């Protein structure tokens, strides 16, 4: 079989084993998702922060724009998140500098949120809408939820950043696993404690592919056909690209964010906990530099405290206070349409792998 016809594409019912990463925060618009799926890949909705009604509305819009398979990604909540009151107050005081500079009337404060309840409501929508593909990040769902989704025909995709996580996902019933190398932009799917997810793609892909029997899709620093071909040679049956799709015209990224991606070099990204409390790779800016050495609250508490600041910074055109998530391949970013990018990826990979 060629690179296009394998167990991954057969299981998903797609033409090419190319996933658009499910990036949360409004980046994966229905136009982006459907555009990828209409071009033969798998478009994915980053629904981790979305309210259930908004997920349902976007599913409806995606289905109006494509009759091809698409996926939705949810964040599995950590039930043990907490912080001392004095630490929350201290971080709020640190962040007042930024809210004040941005002219915000309210001081940074934690909103009342129950992430476990939100996650359960999100899951209900996915089950009611019978979505074709569901992927999960930051953990493994309860076995009953996985069983219920699979019973209705939903393909389950796990996210792993080391071999142990990949093995755990296969044992939990994943149909396929996205393995994310350390080069990846934004948050990666690490759910083991400690620094267990700092493995580069070239080392992780073959070891994960050898350790599990289900198909593996590679993510982390892949931006063009050369990256796709390399991942396939290393043992992956598919690839997932995030940063490459952010500069597409259909992406929901803020114009300043897109411009930062197009101007960035490969040595200008860094991993930080400053924005969310969880390690995430982005383009270095003033906020990241200022917050070096300042202990962040655990995720999602830090994320909730900084979210209004990041939103206001975007409104005011202040990218130095925005989270500009990007992978180490950012220097290869191009301003294109989804269709142009997909054609380039497919034709380039064919030229490399089917000589």
């Amino acid at each position: 079989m060629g690179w296009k016809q394998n167990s991954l594409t057969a299981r998903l019912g797609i033409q090419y084993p190319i996933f658009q990463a499910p990036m949360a925060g409004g980046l994966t618009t229905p136009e982006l998702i459907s555009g990828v799926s209409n071009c033969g890949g798998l478009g994915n909705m980053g629904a981790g922060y979305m309210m259930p009604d908004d997920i349902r509305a976007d599913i409806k819009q995606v289905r109006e724009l494509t009759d091809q398979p698409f996926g939705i990604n949810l964040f599995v909540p950590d039930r043990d998140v907490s912080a001392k009151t004095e630490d929350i107050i201290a971080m709020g005081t640190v962040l007042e500098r930024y809210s004040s500079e941005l002219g915000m009337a309210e001081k940074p404060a934690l909103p009342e949120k129950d992430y476990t309840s939100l996650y359960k409501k999100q899951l209900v929508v996915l089950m009611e809408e019978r979505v074709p593909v569901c992927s999960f990040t930051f953990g493994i769902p309860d076995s009953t939820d996985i069983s219920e989704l699979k019973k209705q025909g939903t393909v389950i995709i796990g996210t792993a950043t080391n071999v142990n996580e990949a093995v755990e996902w296969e044992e939990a019933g994943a149909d396929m696993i996205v393995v994310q190398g350390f080069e990846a932009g934004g948050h990666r799917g690490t759910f083991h404690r400690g620094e267990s997810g700092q493995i580069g793609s070239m080392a992780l892909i073959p070891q994960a592919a050898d350790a599990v029997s289900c198909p593996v899709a590679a993510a982390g620093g892949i931006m063009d056909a050369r990256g796709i071909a390399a991942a396939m040679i290393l043992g992956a049956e598919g690839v997932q690209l995030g940063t490459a799709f952010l500069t597409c015209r259909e992406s929901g990224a803020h114009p300043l964010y897109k411009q930062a991606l197009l101007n960035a070099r490969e040595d200008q990204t860094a991993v930080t906990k400053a924005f969310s409390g969880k390690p995430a790779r982005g383009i270095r800016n003033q906020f990241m530099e200022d917050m070096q050495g300042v202990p962040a609250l655990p995720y999602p508490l830090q994320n909730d405290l900084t979210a209004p600041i990041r939103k206001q910074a975007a409104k005011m055109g202040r990218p130095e206070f925005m989270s500009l998530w990007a992978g180490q391949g950012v220097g290869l970013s191009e301003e294109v349409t989804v269709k142009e990018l997909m054609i380039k990826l497919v034709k380039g990979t064919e030229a490399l792998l089917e000589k």
Side-chain angles (χ1 to χ4, degrees):
M1 293 192 293
W3 71 279
K4 293 178 291 186
Q5 294 83 37
N6 57 36
S7 59
L8 183 147
T9 53
R11 183 71 179 85
L12 292 170
I14 59 177
Q15 191 173 1
Y16 307 113
I18 299 172
F19 302 172
Q20 158 255 308
M23 300 164 285
L27 301 174
T28 55
T29 63
E31 291 77 15
L32 178 67
I33 298 162
S34 59
V36 175
S37 292
N38 282 332
C39 287
L42 184 74
N44 286 287
M45 183 189 305
Y49 300 126
M50 294 174 66
M51 298 305 293
D53 287 347
D54 295 330
I55 295 174
R56 199 185 300 274
D58 273 16
I59 290 172
K60 182 176 184 293
Q61 195 172 347
V62 169
R63 283 178 164 152
E64 288 172 353
L65 295 170
T66 186
D67 60 358
Q68 298 301 306
F70 63 94
I72 297 182
N73 176 267
L74 296 183
F75 296 159
V76 179
D78 188 335
R79 295 176 175 84
D80 301 319
V81 174
S82 62
K84 295 179 181 178
T85 302
E86 55 263 35
D87 292 338
I88 296 173
I89 293 171
M91 181 53 66
T93 302
V94 170
L95 296 176
E96 274 186 46
R97 164 188 171 184
Y98 304 99
S99 60
S100 176
E101 183 166 340
L102 292 168
M104 300 170 67
E106 296 183 4
K107 294 182 179 180
L110 281 176
E112 290 290 331
K113 282 188 178 180
D114 183 343
Y115 284 95
T116 299
S117 176
L118 173 62
Y119 168 72
K120 288 179 178 177
K121 291 174 182 176
Q122 292 170 331
L123 265 179
V124 168
V125 172
L126 269 56
M127 290 178 184
E128 289 178 349
E129 294 292 335
R130 304 180 76 86
V131 297
V133 180
C134 189
S135 63
F136 295 91
T137 303
F138 304 150
I140 298 176
D142 293 339
S143 58
T144 52
D145 292 328
I146 291 178
S147 296
E148 189 61 34
L149 285 165
K150 294 186 78 166
K151 193 185 301 180
Q152 65 183 34
T154 297
V155 175
I156 303 295
I157 301 180
T159 312
T161 61
N162 58 51
V163 172
N164 284 340
E165 289 178 347
V167 170
E168 288 180 32
W169 258 114
E170 181 171 49
E171 291 172 349
D175 296 297
M176 54 194 67
I177 302 165
V178 171
V179 294
Q180 293 178 304
F182 187 59
E183 304 91 335
H187 298 95
R188 285 170 300 116
T190 306
F191 55 90
H192 284 157
R193 298 293 183 186
E195 305 300 322
S196 60
Q198 299 191 28
I199 307 163
S201 295
M202 183 167 283
L204 178 60
I205 296 166
Q207 293 181 84
D210 286 351
V212 298
S213 57
C214 64
V216 163
I222 302 172
M223 294 288 290
D224 59 14
R226 292 169 294 182
I228 296 174
M232 297 292 188
I233 291 169
L234 288 170
E237 291 191 48
V239 293
Q240 179 169 284
L241 288 72
T243 306
F245 283 102
L246 283 176
T247 49
C248 287
R249 294 193 182 96
E250 296 88 343
S251 126
H254 189 283
L256 286 173
Y257 183 6
K258 289 186 179 182
Q259 200 56 50
L261 292 166
L262 291 167
N263 292 337
R265 301 190 311 268
E266 86 291 344
D267 61 349
Q268 292 179 318
T269 71
V271 176
T272 182
K273 290 185 179 181
F275 289 108
S276 70
K278 189 181 284 288
R281 183 179 296 281
I283 299 170
R284 288 197 304 271
N285 60 7
Q286 183 185 330
F287 187 84
M288 288 169 64
E289 297 291 338
D290 289 349
M291 296 292 284
Q292 281 189 359
V294 180
L297 297 175
Y299 176 91
L301 305 181
Q302 183 78 9
N303 192 68
D304 286 343
L305 271 182
T306 66
I309 293 170
R310 289 177 280 144
K311 186 175 181 181
Q312 180 71 3
K315 284 183 180 178
M316 297 186 67
R318 301 287 297 274
E320 65 268 32
F321 303 136
M322 294 166 59
S323 49
L324 307 171
W325 304 136
Q328 288 184 326
V330 65
L332 297 171
S333 297
E334 295 181 296
E335 188 176 1
V336 290
T337 64
V338 166
K339 187 174 183 179
E340 288 168 343
L341 177 58
M342 285 294 292
I343 289 173
K344 188 173 183 179
L345 293 174
V346 171
K347 286 189 173 180
T349 305
E350 286 177 346
L352 290 169
L353 293 179
E354 297 187 354
K355 288 181 181 178

